[in-house]
Amino acid sequence: MRNKKSSTLQEAETHPSRCPDNSAFKQQKLPAWKPQLNIATVLSIFFFTGAFCLSVGISLVLSANSVREFEINYSDKCSDCSKLRENSSNWNTECLCSINFTLQEDMLGDVFMYYGLQNFYQNHRRYVISRSHTQLLGRDVNVQGSYCAPFATYQNGTPMAPCGAIANSMFNDTIDLSYNFNSTIIQVPLLKTGNSWWTDKNVKFRNPESHNLSSAFAGTARPPYWQKPVYMLDEEDEKNNGYINEDFIIWMRVSAFATFRNLYRRVRRTRQFTDGLPAGNYTFHISYNFPVTKFKGKKYVILSTMVWSGGSNPFLGIAYLVCGTAATLAGFTITAIHLKLRKKKTYFQK
């Protein structure tokens, strides 16, 4: 017996126990607050949650409905240009389209111009990963080993800048807006910078370091579907060129849905447009380059204002209304069940 005990002790010393220490923390004996729920507390939580969600939901829906928005499907309005772009051999032929419209009411405050695409799927996995993050940071990288293929290099080995399917399919229509005031055509001033996310502009995209941007991209070539190289995307503003061009940055943030809109321009609040866009006659001047007929898509140009809750999307407000309604109905249901059971209990006690 003694031999057995000694061997057990020796085994315990060589193989320490896996049991946790006998402490309050490891034995889960720390003092904690344990709420004692009663019917009054439960009903208060449900009704308070319902009232809060309903009030927030109503505020969001009313705010979204107050947004002024104007939308035009210009893929149908510019049918001649659309037919021209069906043939890829006409890519170098310029096609201009003008669309007249009337704003019945003033669009006060900041006015944003968007372009919208329908039936354009950016959420395909091969499309989403078809880019080189290292290249977009301005670093010298061998794009042949990246996910950019088949839009990585040309047959002669010249690398594309930028590479990948996302960059190659960049939206390249040019849209201008003019105001027809007393038979005088006034060009609406539009801002093309300050539209992208700060993190994208200052963290995710960088130009190669060089004294001259054109020399920084020497030895590279534009993507096949582009009409000009990346260092000439904005010939009016040198600081809005290359990989930090804001139209390019906004396009590279892909959408999760087939129908989406991207911010294109903001109306500069100056002269006649200090308070926004006044009611009257306007004209969109569009250089039609982006083909959509092959994938049965449509293109839109949208003018929209902004409120404290964002744009005109009422989804968040509706979600709050649904949650508030569900919480309120649950509170009334629990109240009815409680009163019914209390009556039965009183009856049996008698």
Side-chain angles (χ1 to χ4, degrees), residues 234-306:
D234 189 350
E235 299 180 11
E236 299 176 358
D237 186 359
E238 294 182 359
K239 297 180 180 180
N240 190 36
N241 257 322
Y243 296 147
I244 60 173
N245 176 266
E246 299 217 8
D247 290 339
F248 173 69
I249 291 174
I250 291 173
W251 177 259
M252 293 298 290
R253 181 173 285 277
V254 297
S255 172
F257 302 99
T259 299
F260 60 93
R261 64 174 65 177
N262 284 337
L263 182 58
Y264 182 67
R265 296 289 184 267
R266 290 178 294 126
V267 174
R268 184 178 180 183
R269 299 177 65 174
T270 181
R271 301 195 305 273
Q272 296 93 339
F273 312 102
T274 303
D275 298 325
L277 290 180
N281 298 320
Y282 291 84
T283 303
F284 280 124
H285 303 280
I286 302 171
S287 177
Y288 198 108
N289 299 307
F290 194 85
V292 294
T293 54
K294 288 188 176 181
F295 56 87
K296 299 179 181 179
K298 293 182 179 180
K299 294 189 291 187
Y300 301 87
V301 58
I302 305 114
L303 294 173
S304 178
T305 58
M306 195 75 71

Side-chain angles (χ1 to χ4, degrees), residues 22 24 33 39 52 83 132 148 174 198 230 234 249 308 332:
N22 189 20
W33 177 67
I39 187 62
F52 174 77
K83 292 179 181 178
S132 173
C148 289
T174 302
W198 185 91
V230 66
D234 189 350
I249 291 174
W308 63 270
F332 281 115

Side-chain angles (χ1 to χ4, degrees), residues 125-326:
R125 178 180 176 274
R126 290 291 300 275
Y127 182 88
V128 171
I129 66 175
S130 183
R131 61 193 298 168
S132 173
H133 296 283
T134 307
Q135 184 193 48
L136 296 176
L137 286 172
R139 300 171 186 170
D140 189 12
V141 60
N142 182 13
V143 295
Q144 288 183 342
S146 65
Y147 290 108
C148 289
F151 301 102
T153 61
Y154 286 92
Q155 292 182 352
N156 59 2
T158 305
M160 300 181 190
C163 70
I166 307 176
N168 184 59
S169 61
M170 177 181 167
F171 182 85
N172 58 349
D173 284 0
T174 302
I175 307 172
D176 293 317
L177 180 63
S178 62
Y179 176 45
N180 307 322
F181 180 70
N182 294 334
S183 301
T184 303
I185 299 177
I186 302 173
Q187 191 75 17
V188 178
L190 301 175
L191 297 172
K192 49 188 172 183
T193 58
N195 301 325
S196 61
W197 290 21
W198 185 91
T199 52
D200 289 349
K201 180 76 173 180
N202 297 278
V203 178
K204 295 184 179 180
F205 293 84
R206 288 281 188 277
N207 279 329
E209 295 183 1
S210 177
H211 65 282
N212 188 353
L213 197 58
S214 60
S215 62
F217 288 97
T220 65
R222 59 177 174 80
Y225 292 171
W226 285 28
Q227 297 176 346
K228 49 188 175 183
V230 66
Y231 53 86
M232 294 180 62
L233 289 178
D234 189 350
E235 299 180 11
E236 299 176 358
D237 186 359
E238 294 182 359
K239 297 180 180 180
N240 190 36
N241 257 322
Y243 296 147
I244 60 173
N245 176 266
E246 299 217 8
D247 290 339
F248 173 69
I249 291 174
I250 291 173
W251 177 259
M252 293 298 290
R253 181 173 285 277
V254 297
S255 172
F257 302 99
T259 299
F260 60 93
R261 64 174 65 177
N262 284 337
L263 182 58
Y264 182 67
R265 296 289 184 267
R266 290 178 294 126
V267 174
R268 184 178 180 183
R269 299 177 65 174
T270 181
R271 301 195 305 273
Q272 296 93 339
F273 312 102
T274 303
D275 298 325
L277 290 180
N281 298 320
Y282 291 84
T283 303
F284 280 124
H285 303 280
I286 302 171
S287 177
Y288 198 108
N289 299 307
F290 194 85
V292 294
T293 54
K294 288 188 176 181
F295 56 87
K296 299 179 181 179
K298 293 182 179 180
K299 294 189 291 187
Y300 301 87
V301 58
I302 305 114
L303 294 173
S304 178
T305 58
M306 195 75 71
V307 292
W308 63 270
S309 61
S312 62
N313 191 348
F315 173 78
L316 185 59
I318 294 174
Y320 268 101
L321 289 176
V322 171
C323 293
T325 304

